[in-house]
Amino acid sequence: MTTTDVLEAARETVLDQGIGLDEVGVLACLRLPDERLPELLALAHDVRRRWCGDAVEVEGIVSAKTGGCPEDCHFCSQSGLFESPVRAAWLDIDGLVRAARETRETGATEFCIVAAVRGPDERLLDQVRAAIEAIRVDGNDVNVACSLGILTAEQVDRLAAMGVHRYNHNLETARSHFPAVVTTHSWEEREATLRLVRDAGMEVCCGGILGMGETVEQRAEFAAQLAAIEPHEVPMNFLDPRPGTPFAGLPVLSATDALRAIAAYRLALPRTVLRFAGGREITLGDLGTRDGLLGGINAVIVGNYLTTLGRAPGEDLALLEELRMPIKGLSASL
Ligand code: SF4
């Protein structure tokens, strides 16, 4: 297949018919030379507009429990097993309500409560239930999402009953690369939680981190594995090598490789909310944020990420206005 064929074929199947690229197609896009990158990004942008519309989903994220996690995800400064600078800390209900209010005030429709745990215990589930109740008492209609690690079927049902409408659980990387990234739990355990979440009727948010030493082939493998989950949303992170973690010494992904991946993942997932998550500042810088939004991304996080400071909310919202991309409303579906 020539490089021209790759994009021509993608235009027909993905843009015209809404059928995502398979692993082979994604790999061909990831192998396109830099000169073809603008063309690839333009096609991804067309696909995003055609199948998702112009609106951008804005989300806020807050950490209910930070640091001290018993797992050993090699990229994560919240693991209690590494010499990481992040110490264990809990946020109280008032703090969660305040964060939800500030999130909603930016125009965001999603508010995700995150905890650095293998899976939730009773204390954490109680805290989430109390927080959701308090957020509603506060008159806040924001959609509440959660990211609390690996779940049992019973925990999935409890979260659904609390009104959690979306659950984030990242597969992190290709199945074949996962053992080089995490040893304390398996890719299959993560996948099982995602299936339970979907069966319970909650929206599935599942993504990962690129730049963790995976090959380009594994990047394509991961795109196909994500597509098989049929997630509502895919957060795309790029490794920001944190001091004290086993991946501290890995090189940062180049901006061109990151943009190629964004566009290729959009072609694999034409209807999915594709979100810029962590690491985009270090990988892409300001210009890259714009390129990403014009190359397949249609969701952003406002405020700070979990352990590293993201851009100020105003900057992203101003950029959306400049690009004439409306913020998705609560009742609209992408
Ligand atoms: S990624 Fe999640 S499960 Fe893994 S160490 Fe970090 S907080 Fe724990």
Side-chain angles (χ1 to χ4, degrees):
M1 200 187 266
T2 68
T3 51
T4 309
D5 288 332
V6 173
L7 293 184
E8 268 174 17
R11 185 167 290 280
E12 225 178 276
T13 51
V14 189
L15 183 60
D16 297 346
Q17 299 169 45
I19 301 168
L21 288 186
D22 62 10
E23 189 174 335
V24 174
V26 172
L27 183 57
C29 289
L30 292 174
R31 285 183 172 151
L32 284 171
D34 284 357
E35 310 84 82
R36 305 288 311 274
L37 182 56
E39 215 181 316
L40 174 65
L41 289 167
L43 176 60
H45 186 51
D46 288 348
V47 166
R48 169 261 168 125
R49 293 188 68 197
R50 167 87 197 268
W51 296 102
C52 300
D54 281 331
V56 172
E57 190 171 275
V58 177
E59 305 171 26
I61 194 162
V62 70
S63 185
K65 189 245 165 189
T66 308
C69 181
E71 302 304 294
D72 77 342
C73 310
H74 292 12
F75 55 83
C76 184
S77 57
Q78 304 209 58
S79 170
L81 303 175
F82 313 141
E83 304 262 322
S84 304
V86 177
R87 297 243 170 84
W90 286 78
L91 191 63
D92 61 15
I93 302 294
D94 285 351
L96 291 169
V97 170
R98 219 173 22 253
R101 197 185 305 146
E102 283 166 13
T103 295
R104 187 70 184 108
E105 281 165 1
T106 66
T109 51
E110 298 289 323
F111 177 66
C112 187
I113 301 172
V114 175
V117 290
R118 175 188 171 88
D121 57 11
E122 277 307 309
R123 176 186 174 187
L124 182 56
L125 285 174
D126 269 357
Q127 201 202 16
V128 168
R129 185 188 39 73
I132 293 174
E133 280 171 19
I135 287 166
R136 297 307 177 218
V137 167
D138 193 45
N140 190 341
D141 58 356
V142 75
N143 286 326
V144 177
C146 283
S147 181
L148 312 174
I150 295 167
L151 301 176
T152 63
E154 191 251 339
Q155 289 170 332
V156 168
D157 290 343
R158 282 170 69 183
L159 288 171
M162 288 175 204
V164 173
H165 91 120
R166 188 181 294 178
Y167 193 79
N168 164 263
H169 197 44
N170 291 337
L171 284 169
E172 307 300 8
T173 190
R175 188 175 188 156
S176 65
H177 190 54
F178 195 85
V181 178
V182 184
T183 68
T184 48
H185 60 266
S186 67
W187 194 93
E188 289 74 15
E189 282 175 279
R190 286 184 171 251
E191 190 194 25
T193 290
L194 293 167
R195 297 202 182 282
L196 291 173
V197 165
R198 195 175 55 194
D199 292 350
M202 281 187 275
E203 290 182 358
V204 170
C205 171
C206 174
I209 305 177
L210 300 183
M212 296 199 291
E214 75 281 355
T215 62
V216 174
E217 289 77 10
Q218 285 169 322
R219 235 167 260 169
E221 175 197 333
F222 186 38
Q225 286 162 344
L226 285 174
I229 300 283
E230 297 181 24
H232 187 87
E233 171 175 8
V234 170
M236 289 193 76
N237 298 272
F238 303 103
L239 183 73
D240 176 359
R242 305 309 300 157
T245 64
F247 285 172
L250 284 184
V252 171
L253 205 64
S254 74
T256 46
D257 281 348
L259 289 171
R260 230 187 313 269
I262 288 168
Y265 276 48
R266 166 54 71 202
L267 298 183
L269 300 152
R271 292 180 175 80
T272 304
V273 177
L274 203 57
R275 163 161 54 96
F276 259 144
R280 72 174 147 137
E281 289 79 13
I282 181 168
T283 309
L284 294 167
D286 281 354
L287 195 60
T289 300
R290 177 187 300 262
D291 288 348
L293 283 163
L294 293 171
I297 291 288
N298 65 334
V300 294
I301 290 185
V302 286
N304 64 342
Y305 304 147
L306 302 178
T307 55
T308 54
L309 206 62
R311 290 147 56 93
E315 288 177 44
D316 278 348
L317 299 178
L319 181 59
L320 294 182
E321 202 174 311
E322 188 197 322
L323 296 174
R324 295 182 199 285
M325 292 181 183
I327 295 176
K328 184 195 143 192
L330 253 188
S331 55
S333 61
L334 283 170

